[in-house]
Amino acid sequence: MILALLNKSFLRFVVIAGLVCISFLRPLQAKESITFTDVTDKTGITFKHTDGSSGKFYIMETVTAGLALFDYDNDGDIDIYFLNGAALKGTKYDKPPKNALYRNDGNFKFTDVTEQSGLGDTGFGLGVTAGDYDNDGDKDIYINNFGPNVLYRNNGDGTFSDVTKKAGVDNGNHVGAGTCFLDIDKDGDLDLYVARYIIFSYDEHKVMNIRGYLSYSAPVDYTHLSDSLYRNNGDGTFTDVSKVSGIGGHKGSGMGMVCVDYDNDGDTDIFVANDEMENYLFENDGTGKFEQVGLMAGVAYDFNGKYYGSMGVDCGDYDNDGLLDFYVTSFDRESATLYKNLGDGIFEDITSSIGAGKGTYENLTWGTGFADFDNDGDRDIFVAAGHLQPDIAKHSDHLTYRAINQLLMNTGDGKFVNITKTAGDGMKVKQCSRYAGFDDLDNDGDVDAVILNIRSKPTILRNDTVNNNHWIKIRLKGVKSNRDGIGAHVKVTAGGLVQLDEVHSGRGYQGHHGSRLYFGLGKNKMIEKIEVRWIGGGVDVLKNVKADQSITITEGKKTIQ
C-alpha cells in the first residue's frame, strides 16, 4: 500500500514537471475567437427569478437555482425549464412564484407553455434533472427543492403528471441541491441520486455579521446529511438504497454534481462538489455499491491540500487523451479547479500550469461546462459568476454582486486563454448568475448558452462564431440499456482527431443539459469511425459518417437515423 502511494505521488510529480516545462517551451497557438450575442430580449422569454427573500438572510436564498435544457415534446429542438424560488418566512407574494417551461419554436423564439404542461411547480426550486426513468420514449423531470421534491412524469402529449407519491422520491423536507438520473447497476433503467445541502429550520436560522453588516451564514454553521440514492424498481417506483449502496455513510454539503465513468470500467461513478469541505468521488463497483475515493483519487482538495467552497462541477476530455477530466467552480478568492485525469483512478490539479483558472479567482463562480464552442475539436470552458447578496460591496472592497461570466478558450495544445473581453456582447452581460447550460438552441451546428440569473431575467446567448469548421451532433437511443443512453461513452475519430464524450443527466451547478452530444471536427468533412459503448456493455461501431448533420444511433443497429 505504501509503495503504491509513493508510485502515485511520483507519477503526479513527473506529470506536473512535464507540463510546467512544456508551458515555457511552447507558445500559445493563435486561433479564431468565439463570439456570443445576447439575444434574450428577442426570445419572448419573460421569466424572472425570485429567491423568496425578506431581508432575513436565509441561506437557501443564495443557492437557488438550476435549469434544464431538454426536448420535452420530441420535436427535435431543445426547450428550457427554469426553476424559481418561493416565499420564505416573512415574505408574501400576491401571486406565488413558480417554475416555467418555454417551448422552443425555432430561430430563438420561445413560447411559455407552463400552464398547459403542468410543470408550474411552486416549491422552492434548487436543482433539476431530466431523464426517461420509465423508458417510454420521453423525458421526465425531477426537482430537488427546499422542502419535498417532485417527480413529474412526461405523458407524451405535452403534459406532465406529478407521480412523486407513487414513486416514493419526495426525499423529505430538506434543503436540496444537484440531482442526477443514472443507471447504477446496468439493469437498463434509470436510478436517481439526490444531493442534500444542509439541515435547516427557521428556529435554528443563523446570520453572520461582517464589518457591522448582516450577511448570510455558511454551510459549516449547519448540520449535514448524507445524500440519497434511489434504485429504480422498473414499475414506476423507487427504493431508497442510500445505506446499502455506501452513499449513506458520508455526510456532506453537496451542491453541483455529475455522474460519470471516470475510470473507463463500464459503470457510472458519482462526483459531488461539497461546499466548504472535501469533494466526494464515489467509485462504482459495477453492481451499484460505492466507495468514497475522493482523497485517494486527488479530487477531494486542490493542489495545496485545501478544500474550497465548491459549487458546480462538469466533466470533459479537454486534452483528447481518452480520459474525462473534472472542472470545479468555487467561492471568491478561490480559483476554479481543473483536475486532469491521469488514468489508473488518479487526478492532478493542473489549473495554474494550463491557465484554466484565469478570471475565476476574483469572483464567486457557480455554473460551468465543457463545450466546443468553435467546433475546432477541443473543449472550451464557460463559467457563470455572481455573489451572494446585493450589498456585498459593504462587506468587501473588491467584490460586486453582479459579475461578468468567464469564457476560457482551449488553445488546442492543452492550455486555456481567457477571451471573455473579446468574445462578443454576450460576454459583457453583468448579472448575478447561477446555472449555465449549453446546447444548440437553433440547430445550426454550434453550441449556445442559457444562464439563470438570481433575482433577475435569464441570459440567452446565441453562438455567432464564424469559421469553416465542421461538426456532428449525436443522439443515442438505448434498447437493452436505458432509453436515453445515459452513461454511454461515444468516441469519434475524424482525421487525426479522436474525441470522447458521455451522455449525462444532471451536471454543472444543480441543473441539466447534455442529452445530445456535440463534436467539433475542425476541417474534417468525414468521420472515419463512431464507437458507442453502452452502459450495459454492448458496443456499436459506425464508419464513414458525413459531417455537419444530426444523427440518432440506436443500440444494436449499425445504421443511423
Side-chain angles (χ1 to χ4, degrees):
M1 180 66 178
I2 294 176
L3 180 59
L5 287 173
L6 288 174
N7 288 336
K8 290 177 180 178
S9 298
F10 178 72
L11 176 61
R12 292 182 184 178
F13 173 78
V14 170
V15 170
I16 285 296
L19 288 168
V20 171
C21 290
I22 289 171
S23 68
F24 282 108
L25 293 174
R26 179 165 42 185
L28 296 178
Q29 298 177 3
K31 292 181 58 174
E32 296 171 314
S33 188
I34 299 166
T35 301
F36 282 111
T37 302
D38 179 6
V39 295
T40 309
D41 292 340
K42 301 176 182 179
T43 62
I45 294 174
T46 59
F47 172 81
K48 184 177 180 181
H49 177 268
T50 179
D51 60 5
S53 56
S54 63
K56 301 295 185 182
F57 298 98
Y58 299 122
I59 190 172
M60 69 286 297
E61 297 169 16
T62 67
V63 294
T64 175
L67 62 83
L69 300 181
F70 74 117
D71 184 2
Y72 86 97
D73 52 1
N74 283 336
D75 65 350
D77 50 33
I78 296 298
D79 311 295
I80 309 175
Y81 185 56
F82 296 103
L83 295 196
N84 214 342
L88 299 174
K89 188 175 181 179
T91 305
K92 292 183 179 180
Y93 294 104
D94 294 334
K95 200 172 182 181
K98 58 187 175 183
N99 302 342
L101 177 65
Y102 281 85
R103 186 186 67 223
N104 189 337
D105 296 326
N107 197 28
F108 279 93
K109 301 296 182 183
F110 293 82
T111 299
D112 187 341
V113 292
T114 308
E115 293 304 320
Q116 52 264 52
S117 70
L119 283 181
D121 187 62
T122 56
F124 195 97
L126 293 163
V128 61
T129 192
D132 187 2
Y133 81 92
D134 52 0
N135 283 332
D136 66 348
D138 44 45
K139 288 180 174 55
D140 313 294
I141 283 285
Y142 184 78
I143 304 170
N144 198 355
N145 286 323
F146 163 46
N149 297 342
V150 185
L151 175 63
Y152 285 104
R153 181 181 180 274
N154 193 326
N155 299 319
D157 59 0
T159 68
F160 291 77
S161 297
D162 182 346
V163 295
T164 314
K165 185 175 181 180
K166 175 185 176 182
V169 291
D170 72 356
N171 205 239
N173 189 15
H174 303 295
V175 179
T179 183
C180 296
F181 284 113
L182 73 159
D183 186 353
I184 62 173
D185 47 10
K186 298 180 288 188
D187 65 348
D189 51 33
L190 293 176
D191 311 297
L192 179 65
Y193 191 101
V194 185
R196 299 195 285 192
Y197 187 45
I198 60 167
I199 297 176
F200 177 88
S201 71
Y202 287 109
D203 293 336
E204 297 179 0
H205 166 51
K206 299 174 177 64
V207 179
M208 295 177 65
N209 189 305
I210 303 176
R211 292 187 176 186
Y213 296 98
L214 296 181
S215 179
Y216 292 100
S217 57
V220 294
D221 298 324
Y222 295 89
T223 303
H224 297 146
L225 289 167
S226 63
D227 296 336
S228 298
L229 182 63
Y230 293 94
R231 187 187 66 234
N232 192 330
N233 298 322
D235 59 359
T237 68
F238 291 78
T239 297
D240 188 336
V241 294
S242 306
K243 291 184 179 180
V244 297
S245 68
I247 298 296
H250 302 274
K251 296 180 179 180
S253 51
M255 297 196 81
M257 61 174 297
V258 65
C259 298
V260 51
D261 182 8
Y262 77 92
D263 49 4
N264 287 346
D265 65 350
D267 52 47
T268 304
D269 313 294
I270 303 167
F271 188 112
V272 181
N274 284 316
D275 191 2
E276 294 196 349
M277 62 173 289
E278 65 179 287
N279 298 318
Y280 289 157
L281 180 59
F282 293 105
E283 182 181 356
N284 193 339
D285 71 354
T287 68
K289 300 292 179 63
F290 294 86
E291 180 184 1
Q292 206 290 95
V293 298
L295 180 61
M296 290 293 294
V299 298
Y301 307 101
D302 76 341
F303 181 74
N304 296 309
K306 296 180 180 179
Y307 64 76
Y308 282 167
S310 298
M311 303 297 182
V313 57
D314 196 22
C315 67
D317 184 7
Y318 84 93
D319 53 357
N320 290 336
D321 66 350
L323 299 167
L324 294 171
D325 313 290
F326 291 117
Y327 192 80
V328 185
T329 54
S330 191
F331 209 73
D332 66 80
R333 296 189 179 182
E334 297 175 351
S335 170
T337 306
L338 193 150
Y339 295 99
K340 176 179 169 56
N341 192 335
L342 306 179
D344 195 29
I346 300 297
F347 291 80
E348 187 69 52
D349 173 2
I350 62 169
T351 311
S352 297
S353 64
I354 66 171
K358 293 290 182 65
T360 66
Y361 182 81
E362 297 82 3
N363 296 303
L364 202 165
T365 53
W366 303 83
T368 189
F370 285 102
D372 186 357
F373 295 116
D374 49 4
N375 284 336
D376 63 348
D378 50 49
R379 298 187 181 276
D380 314 294
I381 300 174
F382 190 103
V383 180
H387 221 279
L388 300 182
Q389 61 195 74
D391 64 348
I392 190 63
K394 295 179 180 179
H395 306 256
S396 170
D397 297 327
H398 74 285
L399 296 174
T400 60
Y401 178 62
R402 294 180 176 84
I404 294 173
N405 299 324
Q406 301 295 306
L407 180 59
L408 301 171
M409 184 176 70
N410 193 325
T411 65
D413 62 351
K415 301 181 78 68
F416 290 88
V417 175
N418 191 314
I419 62 167
T420 303
K421 293 182 179 180
T422 61
D425 67 31
M427 297 307 300
K428 293 178 171 61
V429 176
K430 199 170 186 179
Q431 283 280 8
C432 187
S433 300
R434 290 298 184 264
Y435 187 75
F438 312 98
D439 212 306
D440 184 2
L441 297 180
D442 53 354
N443 287 329
D444 66 347
D446 52 33
V447 178
D448 311 295
V450 180
I451 300 100
L452 186 139
N453 301 311
I454 196 169
R455 300 184 180 184
S456 188
K457 64 181 183 180
T459 303
I460 316 298
L461 299 182
R462 185 181 66 211
N463 190 336
D464 286 333
T465 303
V466 178
N467 57 41
N468 295 317
N469 292 334
H470 300 280
W471 53 275
I472 189 76
K473 184 189 308 181
I474 299 174
R475 177 178 176 267
L476 299 185
K477 184 177 179 181
V479 178
K480 293 182 179 179
S481 58
N482 68 84
R483 183 68 174 259
D484 288 335
I486 291 169
H489 274 198
V490 179
K491 185 183 293 185
V492 172
T493 302
L497 191 62
V498 181
Q499 300 179 73
L500 172 71
D501 204 358
E502 180 176 339
V503 182
H504 300 286
S505 166
R507 65 197 303 179
Y509 177 75
Q510 302 181 176
H512 170 87
H513 69 270
S515 299
R516 309 186 298 190
L517 301 184
Y518 297 82
F519 295 87
L521 303 174
K523 305 308 178 186
N524 297 293
K525 298 180 181 180
M526 179 67 68
I527 300 167
E528 286 88 60
K529 184 170 68 172
I530 299 175
E531 180 179 334
V532 182
R533 191 194 73 193
W534 302 88
I535 194 66
V539 176
D540 287 319
V541 178
L542 286 75
K543 295 184 177 180
N544 300 321
V545 179
K546 291 182 179 180
D548 304 325
Q549 62 171 323
S550 301
I551 65 174
T552 297
I553 301 175
T554 301
E555 185 177 12
K557 295 184 178 180
K558 305 300 181 182
T559 58
I560 60 176
Q561 297 172 277

